[in-house]
Amino acid sequence: MAERSAIAERPVRRRGPHLVPGRMVAVLLAGLAAAFAAVAVAGITIGSVDLPPGAVWRVVASHLTGAASPDPLRDQVIWEIRTPRVLVAALVGAGLSVAGVALQALVRNPLADPYVLGVSAGASLGAVLVVSFGATAFGGLGVTGAAFATAALSVLAVYALAQRGGRLLDSRLVLAGVAVGYLCSAATSFVQLRLDPSELQGLMFWLMGSVAGATWSDLGVPAAVIAACTLFLLLQGRSMNALLAGDDAAAGLGASVPALRIALLVVASLLTATSVGVVGGIGFVGLMVPHAARFLVGADHRRVLPVAALGGAVFLVAVDIAARTADRPNELPIGIFTTGLGVPFFLWLLRRRAGGAG
């Protein structure tokens, strides 16, 4: 038993920059929770239209206490538009970050990310097909169901193309992801050609990632899916740790490696599809946030997952505030900001790994 426990913890000592005491992890999570509260308050207070902070929080207080709203017009802006928008951004940020953690464990590669590996593009294709042709295009599946199906197919294609002789090759992984992503993007572009110009403008904005149209009804499914998937991954944390050290180590812990890989594939696809179905394609969140989490707490997935989930929520709410206010009163897609941050980070990480290999 002691030997198996040592195997499970080996990735933490080998890959993490340092072994952080549990007390420090608790302090970090508390700090992230406070940061989320701060950005959530800012996200509800700040928008493309300036409103007095006092008036904003009088409206929020009226809903929390069940009192009558003091201003119906401001109530519409604050409670029906800004508040669900902040909550959806937080859920999607957490979901994409957790999906990134799952994919990186699945392929044992820190470059893995729903966007880089073509999963987001695959999910977008399924969602666009349903939006354009109706649920009958996927046998009655809704947007999330269709996005999940095409996201899972994309991951399977990348996983198959990146292997040689039964081994997953880092050099092929990113290339396969880029190729599959481009193929899905080309198919999405073909579908867009069949749309009316009025429909095309809204779809293009959605494909670049936006929480502008978020409503309270958008919260239920993502919250349930992200919570369930994160809990499942936390329960698999020891097996995921062992998987980083190799299939033999995971098998020595008693984990069924094929079943674990399939589970990670399904969870990552479901998280990505749920996020894309609500807000469109937002790239690189699942690459940057897990790396920041590992830098802070090491590589133990039982620590990385909660830190990544909270960190992703804080990150995407903050980016959404920037998207709303950078060019007021116009609003920019979130994907522009996350890609602008993510591409330099990806190139730096690629260069760092190439230097380490050399």
Side-chain angles (χ1 to χ4, degrees), residues 36-97:
F36 172 69
V39 295
V41 168
I44 296 172
T45 305
I46 300 170
S48 56
V49 177
D50 287 326
L51 294 174
V56 170
W57 291 101
R58 278 194 294 272
V59 169
V60 173
S62 69
H63 282 275
L64 295 178
T65 59
S69 176
D71 189 325
L73 182 60
R74 288 176 175 173
D75 181 271
Q76 180 72 19
V77 173
I78 296 161
W79 191 252
E80 299 298 331
I81 297 176
R82 289 188 187 177
T83 303
R85 176 180 186 144
V86 166
L87 297 177
V88 167
L91 284 171
V92 170
L96 290 175
S97 300

